[in-house]
Every structure is written in structure tokens, then in C-alpha cells.
Amino acid sequence: MKAHDSIVGLVVAILGGAIALYSQSLVPPRHLNYGPGFFPLLIGIGLVLVGGGLIVQGYVTGRDKPLFYRPRWLENRQLVFRFWIIPIAILFYWLAVTPLGFLATATILLAMIQIANGVRWKLAFAVALITALVVNILFASILHVPLSWGVLTPISGLFIW
Amino acid sequence: MVDAGTILAQLADPYLLLVIVASAAYGLAIGSIPGLTALMATALLVPFIIFMAPLPAIASIITASAMAIFAGDIPGALLRMPGTPASAAYTDDAFKLTRQGKSATALGAGLFASAFGGVASATILTLCAPWLARIALSFSSVEYFWLGVLGLSCATFVAGPSLLKGLASLLFGLFLATMGLDPISGMPRFTFGSTNLVGGLGLIPVLIGLFAVSELLRNSYGQDRQMSEKAKPASIVKTVVKLMWPHKIGLLRGSLLGTVVGSLPGAGSDIAAWISYALAKKSSKRGNSDTEEGAVERIMSASAANNASLGGAYIPATVFGIPGDAITAIVISVMFIKGVNPGPTLFLNQPQVIYAIFAIFFLANLLMLPLGIACIRGFGLILRLPTSIISPVILLFCILGAFSVENTLFAVGLVALFGLLGYVMEENEVPLAPAILGLILGPLLEQTFMTTMLKSQGDLLTFFNRPIGGTIGAVTILVWALIIGLKLFASRDAKNDSSLADTAS
Amino acid sequence: MNRSRRIIRTILCTSAMATLLAGPALAWPDQPVSMIVVAGAGGGSDFTFRLLSRELESQTSQPVNVINQAQGGGIVGYTTYSTAKPDGYTMGQLSPFAQFKILGQADFTADSFTPLSLVNVDPSAIHVGVSSDLKSLDDIVAALKKDPASLRISCGGTCSASWDIPFISLMMAEGIDVAKINLIPASGSAAGLQELASGGMDVVLCSIPETDALTDAGMVKTVAVLSSDRLERYPDVPTAKEITGKDVTGGTWRGVAGPAGMDPALVKEIEAQLKVAYESERFQTGMKDRGFGTQYMDSAGFAAFIKGHEAQTKEVMTALGVGSE
């Protein structure tokens, strides 16, 4: 995951270039001297300069360093899984919460990560369900956060206090 | 001034006291849960208090917001997941102390400084609110622009070892702030046809992603790493009382600065905390050192500023009805709705109400000490549970926290994206705090710059035409020149041991 | 395993029972309603809709959840509810919206909504600093006639929106070259008024209650209100019509709407509930205490009203030379 400073600089500079280029498509409407593209242009130029600085700095100070450094944990598949389960869980929540409802989605999400972390699955599900239930009651029923009720929607009126 | 007895009689109402204690507990609970923020605590309270009697309603929201802003320090110090954008400034300092087994010092310093800052600003508020408000109202877009540029210089103090990477992070944050509708012409920028992007990137989901989720990712593969050192609650009072006196200057400076910055409409607790942090670091030897003492000095200055600014924000809020930040905007709206229409006449016609509000703010900050200690103790207990169970729950709160502030699922997606991004940035030693600073200051800078240009029809000299604005402008330019000069010198010295990257100040 | 199964079974049983308890399907609503507010928690819009929702809740004994989606000036909120299922369970706030399409920010039009009822109208007003050379609307008109770009005018929010569109209409009626007027957006009326107080602005456009505090402080003066009659709460503020003779009115308004394509029978039902809520004592006094105007229009009236809003916005924005068309 760790890259050479020059690579970091290159990424920063490319981002800056893209921003600066995009800013040119933003034309000032009416009689404005400085339009919507002005700040993005400055930021883009700034990023290009900083990125260029990083490339040079990386070249000067780290010629002998590898371009990419692969940390040890990446070789352990279980650890890699534990890492990726987190963004996957958020993605799962994003997609599932509307149809399934918060209670079910949160239970699955919590159990899924706990099991990935090596918790026994019975315990994981019990903890997950209780936590999801408590959170659902506190935030949806009492604090009225508009969490999705999914399949429970038709009767959810009874659970909003 | 109004008779103190009348005010105390108002406060003696048991129902009011119950509301205050309940709101305090609520504010602390929400603020201390990683992923749940002070803004969320305040916003979720609105439906409850909107139909309450005026005094309890206002008391509730004032208490909850003060508590939640302090409580944001707790996950920041123990888990490196700041609960508010304001605590992001000193999260690294506090977490470092925790890693050394000194969480009691880190949290105690934050707690006592918060309460001190709050009480100090309440005192200033009571004594000279109308007078200070007049000064605050003389600020136009020029002054705000310079204040924003001055704020940007704070980034160099939290940039970590590499100034260039710090600047890259800051610029990236500024770029993120430009996404959405341009504040002046309303033109969509970097939206690529997406309605969600038209709404821009919310500060809270980005904050949660960059700090909290990236920390969860980092912890995910470190098998033997404990979530955190346990807080030693018994020693908090003893540890910190000893620390208060040596750091009195930092505390006073933070409180004063916080009140002043907070009293400027449009500059809230986060900007106050950042500027105070930077000042602590630059203006005193102690604050600049890498020792425990230095960290405590910085934490105390910034924490004091961050709660003091809340009090300061009530100055323009109560006198002119103009909010300082998103949280005070909600507080003011509640005052309006409850018929306590902020304005100078409030001081003439209903002084008992306005001074009761100040008294509540006083009370809330005193209440913060015992309840805060209880909260830290409870938090420490929860952290004894195994990481494998705690971390998924934190993740759920991160999702919930982002969703409940923005009310869109898009915010949940942002949390995942910025979690990964924050992880990659940290791995490559790109600091996260400057990006948050850029995201906070970006809209202020752009709006004030463009407004000034529209007013002067493009004449750049306006930035120096007004007496206050010109002065702040000159100071700002001087500060930036000094920073860049110092960094250049430092790097020239560092070149000898061939580590250009190590330009730490 | 047994335990978790039992828990699931308990939940299923409870929910089945709950369905039975809820009884036979009533008329609208038989489940919670989402009310999307296109402004943040605590603001004027939020307050109006929470007042209204509280009445709906007690009338129908179903929760009415106020959901704040203020991102992108409300574009996100409008999009959410105008693309929802038109089943009467997702509704939202409809306020001046026509500028979004013209500015190329969004693609909804009057046809994207089913207007249900209008509940509030707040006229725009014209404010100046007390120490300013401008003392009246006549002074402003005279100054703009001489040089349209001579005044710095704050829109009290984004431009091409509720407060400045009627003002520009008025200036067009006065024969001023409005394309040259120096309109300056602010992040809200509070920010605009702050600029006025600090001398950074000559004129601010926003509603009157927002200026109460600064007027009391002797810093701001309201020179005219853009309504057909003087407001009950501010009998000393003249209308623009009294001064100029031109009958131009406008400002912001708030109504309830649903997605396009709602069943007319359903619309009738919701409309009836909204009318009861609007007429309730608590809604009326709540609005009055806060200084908000109340005005009711039913679904048909509101539909005609938003068509008129679209036309006025388009006319003004074309004259200003803004927008993609």
C-alpha cells in the first residue's frame, strides 16, 4: 500500500492537472471577473506544484527506496479479508438497507464482521441482533432518525414513539 | 444587570434541572460514541424540544451541544477518532499520550480545559456581550477572507514531518470543498451529472470516513493491537488539578481566543480550536515541544478555545440573531421558535431570560466535570470488551452518524470511500487533519473572496482598504512569509543528513 | 442456535400481531409518512413543517417523520421526493424551485410534482442601513436609474431566488437595465445583514422578521415590502405598490407536494387532512408567534400558482441574462 514519494507526487500532480483542466470548462456567467473556475484553477495549480515538489524530493532523498512497498500482512489472506470486509460491509449496508430495513441489515453487517474477526458465529449473531435492536430502538423509535424499516414499513408506525 | 435572585429562582425549577441533566447525559453519550458527532446530537434534539416551554428547550440544546463538543475529545484521545471537526486539531497529540499510558492526562486536560473555557466565555458573555457584538458586526467579507487565510496557515502546524504532503492534503481538502454548486453563480462543479454530488460533500461523512473508518481499517489486520489503553479514571482529578496552574497562560489564551473567534459570526468552534492550537504551538516554547508537557499545553489551549467559542457564539447570536456555525445556527433557531427573539431589545425587555440563558451555560460547563469523568470512566469500561466485537459496532455508528446528519444513503457511501482514501493517505504519510481544515475553510474563503470581488467589481486592492481588514491581511501575509521562510531554512539545514523529507518544525 | 431462532420467532409473532392490531386498512395514512424538508434542522422551513406534521400526526395517529435534506440548496431533497413512489407516503416541502432548472442545476419542473396545498407566504422586503444615504425605495430607484451598477445589493441567500426575483421584477417595471445590477449572493440572510451592518452592502433583500433584531438595534431600516397590503405585524412598512404604483409582489412560499402522478382520490384525501392541520389553532398561533405569514391554497390553486412562479422566474432570469437558456 505504501508508495514511493515520487509516485505520491505524481498522483497529486495528475489530480491537480485534472482539476485545473476541468476548471477551464467553467465559464463565468454574467459580468463576473472571477468565475466558478477560479478557485479550482488555483487549487489545481497548487496541487501540480506540490506534486512536482514531491516528485523531486522523492527522487533526491529516496533513489534507493522501492517504488512500492508491500506490507507483510498482505500475504496473510485472513488479514486481507478482515481489511476488505469493512468497506464491503458499508457497501452492503448501502444496497441492502432500503429493501431489508435497518434491523436486518445491521444484524447481518455486525455478525459478518465479527465472524470475519474470529468470533464464534452463535455469539456473533446474538451480539449483532441485540445491538441492532438497541440501536434501532434508540435511534429510529426514540430519536426519530429516518432509518429504513424495509419489510416492516407497513407496521412501523407502532414502533415510532 | 438583573437581580441575581430572580435568575436563581428561575433555575431552581426541578423540571428545568432534570432537563439539563438529561440533556447533558444525552450530549455526552452521543458525542463520545465514535462516528456520532456534536452536530448530530444537536440536530436530533430539535424535534424533542421544539414544542417544550422556552427555558427548558433552550437549556436543553445549550447543555447538549456544550457536552457533545467536549465529548468529541474522548474517542479522539482513546481511539484516534475525533468526535467533532474541532477535536481533529489535537487528536494526534491526545492519542500519543494515550499510547504512552497517559489517557487520564490527555482526557483530563481536555475536560478541565473545556469546562474552564466554557466558564471563562460565560463570564465574558455576561459582562460585555452587547459591546462585543458591535465589534463583531463590523466584520465584512474582507475581514473574513483574511481570517480564512490565517486559518489555512494552521495546516502547516499539523502537517507532520513533510510540509509538501501537508500542503497536498490541505489543497485536496480545499478541492473537495469546491464540489457541488458554486456559491456565487450556482454552477454545478465536479458533479458529473449526479444529483448527490450537486449537494456537495458533507463535512461530517468525510470526517468520519477519513478518521474513524480509516482507523478501523488500520486496526483490522493488527492482531495484537489493543483498541486502546484503559483510562485510569481515579487519577484524572489529581493529575489534572496539578496541571492547571502551569498551563494557565495557555488556558487563558485559548479561552480568550475562543470567545473572540466564536463571537465572529461564520467562524465556529472548529476554526477557534485550530487557531488556538497553532498559536499554542507557535507562541510559546512549551507549546512547541514534543514532550508530554507540550502536548498538554496544546490540548488545553485548543480544548479551552473550542468550548469557549461556543459561549462566544452566543454573543452575536443573542444580540443580533446571527449564528457562528451549524450548531449555533440550530440553537438560535430554537430560541426564535421559542419566542426568545435574539436582539438588543432582549437585553432591555427580557434581561431575566437572557441572563438565565447565560447562567445555564455556566451551569452546563460546571456539570461537565463530574459527568465528563463518569463518561470517560464508562467509555473506558466499554473498551475492555474484545476488539472483535467493539469494532463492528463502531462501524455501525459511523454509518449511522453519517446518515443521520445528511439523511442520504450517499453519505454512507462517502464514509466507505473516504475510509479507504484516509487509510491510503496515512500509509503514505499524508496527514489527514489539513484536509479537514481545507474542507472547513474552503467555502468561507471562496464565498468571501468572490463576494468582495463582486462588491468592488474586481478591484483586488479592496482587500487592504478597510482598516481592520487591511491589518489582518498584513498580519496574515507576514505569518505565511515567516512559515515558508522558516520551513525553507529548516530544510536547508536538514539537507546535510540527506533527509529533506524531515522538515519537522 | 435455539436462542437466536427463538428471538427471530418472537419478532415474527410480534409483527404479525401488530398487523392484526392495526386493524383493517384505513384511508390514508395507514403507515408512517415521510415529510422531506429542503432546509436544515431548526430553520424556518423546518419549524413550519414540524408544526404541520405535528397536527397531521395527531389527526391521523400515524407518525409523520420530518426529514431534512438541505444539500445543494434543497436540490437533493426535491429530487428525493419527486422521484419517490407517488403513494402518498413520501411528501415534501415545495418552495421556489424554478431557478434550479434554468441554472442547469437540476431537471425538475412544475410537472415533476403533485402540488397538495400551500400553507405559507412571506413577502420579500427591501432593507438598507440606517446610516446609508439611501432613505427610501425612491432613493434606490433613482440611484439605479442613474447607474444600475452603482449599488451593492445582497440577495439574502443565493441569487435568482425568492428574495431578488420580485425585486428585479419591480426594477424591470421601473425601466431599469436590470442586467447591469450588481446582485451579490450571500450564504443566507444573516450573512447578508451582517454585511449591511458592517457597511459592505448597500441594500439587502430578505423577509422582514429576519431583520427584527437589527432593526431594534437601530442599524437596519426596512424601506418597502413586496406584498399587496401592509403586513399586520409591521404596519409602518409601506408596500412597494404604495411608493412606486407598480403592483409587483413576491417572496418565498412553502407548500406541501408529492411526486408527480398521484391518484386524484388520494390527493383529495391528503388535501383534506392538510386543510384541517392548516386551520388548527396550534398551527396558526405557532406561525404567527414566529412572524410567518399564513396563506392557504388547495391542490388546484397551488398548481396554478407554481406555473405562475415558473413564468415569472423565467422572465426575470432572461432579463438578467442568467441561465443556460
Side-chain angles (χ1 to χ4, degrees), chain C residues 110-194:
Chain C
D111 298 329
S112 314
F113 303 98
T114 304
L116 296 166
S117 61
L118 181 78
V119 295
N120 149 266
V121 170
D122 277 315
S124 177
I126 304 163
H127 315 276
V128 295
V130 164
S131 50
S132 151
D133 293 337
L134 305 164
K135 298 289 175 209
S136 66
L137 180 56
D138 286 328
D139 289 349
I140 296 173
V141 172
L144 290 177
K145 271 196 174 143
K146 214 160 155 206
D147 175 7
S150 60
L151 298 182
R152 297 164 297 177
I153 300 173
S154 168
C155 302
T158 51
C159 286
S160 311
S162 353
W163 308 130
D164 63 318
I165 294 267
F167 174 78
I168 297 295
S169 276
L170 181 68
M171 294 303 124
M172 281 163 74
E174 287 285 340
I176 290 164
D177 182 4
V178 292
K180 290 211 182 81
I181 289 184
N182 194 7
L183 287 173
I184 300 162
S187 53
S189 55
L193 290 167
Q194 152 98 19

Side-chain angles (χ1 to χ4, degrees), chain B residues 422-439:
Chain B
Y423 174 78
V424 173
M425 282 166 73
E426 280 267 279
E427 281 296 284
N428 289 294
E429 287 141 15
V430 179
L432 303 175
I436 291 296
L437 187 68
L439 196 55

Side-chain angles (χ1 to χ4, degrees), chain B residues 20-266:
Chain B
I20 292 180
V21 173
S23 312
Y26 161 84
L28 282 171
I30 300 273
S32 64
I33 295 172
L36 307 188
T37 55
L39 179 60
M40 171 181 172
T42 321
L44 286 186
L45 206 54
V46 170
F48 283 88
I49 57 172
I50 206 162
F51 302 125
M52 263 188 205
L55 207 53
I58 296 168
S60 166
I61 202 142
I62 288 180
T63 314
S65 60
M67 295 292 169
I69 287 202
F70 153 68
D73 291 0
I74 300 177
L78 295 183
L79 300 170
R80 203 167 171 258
M81 298 173 184
T84 61
S87 3
Y90 45 91
T91 295
D92 278 344
D93 274 331
F95 186 65
K96 216 191 224 166
L97 286 179
T98 301
R99 297 287 297 275
Q100 296 163 0
K102 289 174 184 144
S103 60
T105 312
L107 282 170
L111 175 64
F112 278 78
S114 291
F116 184 88
V119 169
S121 78
T123 313
I124 299 175
L125 197 63
T126 317
L127 294 180
C128 45
W131 178 74
L132 272 174
R134 293 237 161 223
I135 300 180
L137 266 196
S138 64
F139 269 50
S140 83
S141 59
V142 175
E143 285 80 16
Y144 279 106
F145 173 76
W146 285 120
L147 197 69
V149 181
L150 191 62
L152 281 186
S153 66
C154 302
T156 57
F157 300 113
V158 285
S162 162
L163 178 64
L164 279 175
K165 285 181 176 174
L167 284 177
S169 175
L170 177 69
L171 286 164
F172 180 63
L174 288 171
F175 158 64
L176 295 179
T178 66
M179 295 182 89
L181 297 181
D182 162 43
I184 299 300
S185 67
M187 189 179 276
R189 293 188 295 197
F190 304 100
T191 57
F192 310 106
S194 147
T195 306
N196 284 316
L197 283 174
V198 167
L201 303 178
L203 174 61
I204 297 296
V206 174
L207 175 82
I208 293 173
L210 282 184
F211 281 95
V213 175
S214 76
E215 190 64 22
L216 286 176
L217 287 170
R218 232 183 331 277
N219 288 336
S220 68
Y221 53 81
Q223 296 130 304
D224 46 56
R225 191 163 149 197
Q226 269 293 324
M227 278 307 274
S228 144
E229 169 75 14
K230 282 140 207 149
K232 295 176 195 76
S235 59
I236 286 184
V237 178
K238 253 191 259 163
T239 327
V240 177
V241 167
K242 263 183 282 166
L243 287 174
M244 296 283 277
W245 185 249
H247 293 283
K248 57 188 180 298
I249 306 278
L251 276 170
L252 279 175
R253 186 182 46 223
S255 308
L256 217 63
L257 189 89
T259 313
V260 172
V261 174
S263 71
L264 299 172

Side-chain angles (χ1 to χ4, degrees), chain B residues 397-412:
Chain B
F397 280 127
C398 289
I399 294 173
L400 198 65
F403 177 78
S404 61
V405 168
E406 298 276 318
N407 281 323
T408 60
L409 278 177
F410 176 69
V412 175

Side-chain angles (χ1 to χ4, degrees), chain B residues 281-302:
Chain B
K281 194 150 184 178
K282 244 340 32 134
S283 69
S284 73
K285 251 211 182 81
R286 179 187 284 139
N288 196 20
S289 74
D290 247 351
T291 57
E292 182 190 334
E293 212 193 359
V296 170
E297 171 86 3
R298 294 192 290 274
I299 294 172
M300 281 196 161
S301 303

